[in-house]
Amino acid sequence: MRTTRSRALFSRATQILPGGVDSPVRAFKAVGASPLFIRRASGACITDIDGNTYVDYVMSWGPLIHGHAPPGLVKALAAAARQGTSFGAPSPLEVELGERVRALMPSIERVRFVSSGTEATMSAVRVARAATGRDRILKFEGCYHGHADAFLVKAGSGALTLGTPTSPGVTKAASADTLVATYNDLESVRRAFDANRGQIAAVIVEPIAGNIGVVPPAEGFLRGLREICTAEGALLIFDEVISGFRASAGGAQGLTGVRPDLTCLGKIIGGGLPVGAYGGRADLMDLVSPAGPVYQAGTLSGNPLAMTAGLWCLNRLTPKLYASLSALGATLAAGLADAAREAGVALQVNAFGSLVTPFFTDRAVRDYASATSANADQYATFFRGMLKRGVYPPPSQFEAWFLSAAHTAADVDKTIAAARAVMKTVK
Ligand code: HOZ
């Protein structure tokens, strides 16, 4: 595998982009490698500027449930672009996508489109604080809700990989109202409410944790959160940026039947273009300006290209798609587990439908502590070996693998065969 061009471009990039990238995990720091610069992508594959092609399991970190550049989407985007790329004024597409989101997730009675998941979560918390008149929020250790100041407390994703759970530059005041509980541990939530009676505006949770690797909710955890929030007069916010339209067409809430007060969306809702959204109960969302006093705005919010991509994606979420994604996910998870067993490597594979994470640990992974017991050095060796064999997993132990409609049984077989060979090299 020749990487001369990627290496040269990375060297040049470090002179203009901090760390050579526009988002930390892309720098491959956590896996001791130099990032690949991608020239193009199609279906389940990406090709770098040296001409190497890989089966991709990053899939732009989740939005591409229909694969890279599906021809129908490309055509729809080209047609939309001819009509104008941004209006800064309402367009019919926003209404159409909003209604589509509400049909798929009925808890979303009103929705506001923004441009990223980070914008969605910070705005949802603002609404929760305004609605309750309370300042504090409760999040879970290892859950990542974007990079707004209030959330960079014991966060997951890049903040975890880089070992900076609390970022410099976040003031004590900005994070002082953020409480942290343990994922899948309702007792830790009750303790936080006991110690902060009448002060917690909202509990925000990834209903399927996806930023410490994949950690599904334990039986009863989400329902327990709903009960506690209702009893304590706090709002329940589901951050479904990853799980929305992926766990099922109705997200994690559609599968579990637990109805949050507010939901944050991103990734699939934009079909690979920059979109986020937050929505929920009409009485809460009607606090948002100009319906109400809670200010939030954005130049590219409801952008016609992004709305077009979102609609294209959401209109193609069939039961058949989820059945085949789950089957592929199960085959991949089982294949990775078998490969590790054969090689005598301790591995726990967590999977939820099309989300998969192989954790290099012998502990069951159900929260931050067990996830971070995984051996990141072993993952790094595994990652580099897979890359050499034409498979591109996420460049961090603590990120999810994403499958798409474009992945085939042959892609997964190739991945498992590569894993069989590579596991033998993992010490
Ligand atoms: N925060 C994303 C992973 N959970 C990474 C975003 C990116 O690098 O594109």
Side-chain angles (χ1 to χ4, degrees), residues 21-27 58 60-62 144 146 156-159 206 210-212 242 267 395 398-400 402:
V21 291
D22 280 313
S23 190
V25 71
R26 300 177 194 182
V58 172
S60 190
W61 304 98
Y144 178 72
S157 194
E206 290 180 82
N211 284 288
I212 41 175
I242 288 181
K267 301 198 190 272
F398 307 110
E399 300 281 3
F402 293 94

Side-chain angles (χ1 to χ4, degrees), residues 7-339:
R7 282 172 187 277
L9 192 52
F10 185 50
S11 162
R12 188 174 140 205
T14 56
Q15 300 308 304
I16 180 66
L17 311 173
V21 291
D22 280 313
S23 190
V25 71
R26 300 177 194 182
F28 282 21
K29 257 186 158 172
V31 286
S34 185
L36 303 176
F37 282 69
I38 306 307
R39 168 83 65 208
R40 62 177 181 275
S42 172
C45 292
I46 48 172
T47 302
D48 67 19
I49 58 174
D50 287 285
N52 306 299
T53 294
Y54 307 86
V55 178
D56 183 18
Y57 289 99
V58 172
M59 298 308 287
S60 190
W61 304 98
L64 309 180
I65 195 162
H66 299 293
H68 286 283
L73 172 58
V74 173
K75 204 170 152 200
L77 282 173
R82 280 194 289 272
Q83 306 292 320
T85 56
S86 183
F87 307 131
S91 83
L93 293 163
E94 297 156 68
V95 183
E96 213 181 311
L97 184 58
E99 288 170 351
R100 187 78 193 120
V101 169
R102 184 174 57 194
L104 292 169
M105 287 187 186
S107 76
I108 301 186
E109 295 166 352
R110 300 266 192 287
V111 65
R112 166 61 60 86
F113 291 109
V114 290
S115 297
S116 71
T118 290
E119 260 190 278
T121 53
M122 61 189 262
S123 308
V125 163
R126 188 175 300 150
V127 170
R129 285 174 164 153
T132 58
R134 300 173 180 183
D135 289 347
R136 302 213 160 139
I137 55 167
L138 179 70
K139 75 178 285 287
F140 293 90
E141 193 173 20
C143 278
Y144 178 72
H145 304 293
H147 61 85
D149 284 2
F151 297 121
L152 285 183
V153 179
K154 297 196 173 179
S157 194
L160 173 60
T161 312
L162 295 178
T164 51
T166 307
S167 171
V170 175
T171 64
K172 286 197 186 76
S175 56
D177 285 321
T178 305
L179 308 166
V180 181
T182 304
Y183 196 77
N184 277 332
D185 178 356
L186 287 173
E187 264 320 300
S188 72
V189 178
R190 288 195 191 98
R191 279 197 300 276
F193 273 98
D194 286 347
N196 297 274
R197 192 89 319 120
Q199 297 180 73
I200 300 178
V203 172
I204 184 165
V205 64
E206 290 180 82
I208 299 163
N211 284 288
I212 41 175
V214 179
V215 181
E219 185 62 38
F221 176 60
L222 299 174
R223 194 161 299 283
L225 291 182
R226 178 66 277 174
E227 284 164 12
I228 294 171
C229 285
T230 303
E232 299 285 345
L235 302 182
L236 179 61
I237 305 175
F238 273 6
D239 177 344
E240 294 228 47
V241 167
I242 288 181
S243 59
F245 316 112
R246 183 166 283 279
S248 77
Q253 55 193 273
L255 276 184
T256 60
V258 177
R259 192 177 173 107
D261 300 295
L262 293 168
T263 298
C264 303
L265 297 167
K267 301 198 190 272
I268 292 174
I269 198 174
L273 273 81
V275 188
Y278 63 104
R281 279 169 37 197
D283 62 312
L284 298 174
M285 290 305 291
D286 283 346
L287 293 171
V288 177
S289 182
V294 177
Y295 191 71
Q296 182 271 308
T299 298
L300 292 174
S301 296
N303 172 268
L305 295 184
M307 298 294 101
T308 298
L311 268 169
W312 193 92
C313 283
L314 266 50
N315 285 338
R316 283 158 183 79
L317 302 177
T318 60
K320 196 169 153 222
L321 169 69
Y322 291 101
S324 87
L325 284 174
S326 282
L328 270 190
T331 306
L332 177 62
L336 293 173
D338 287 347

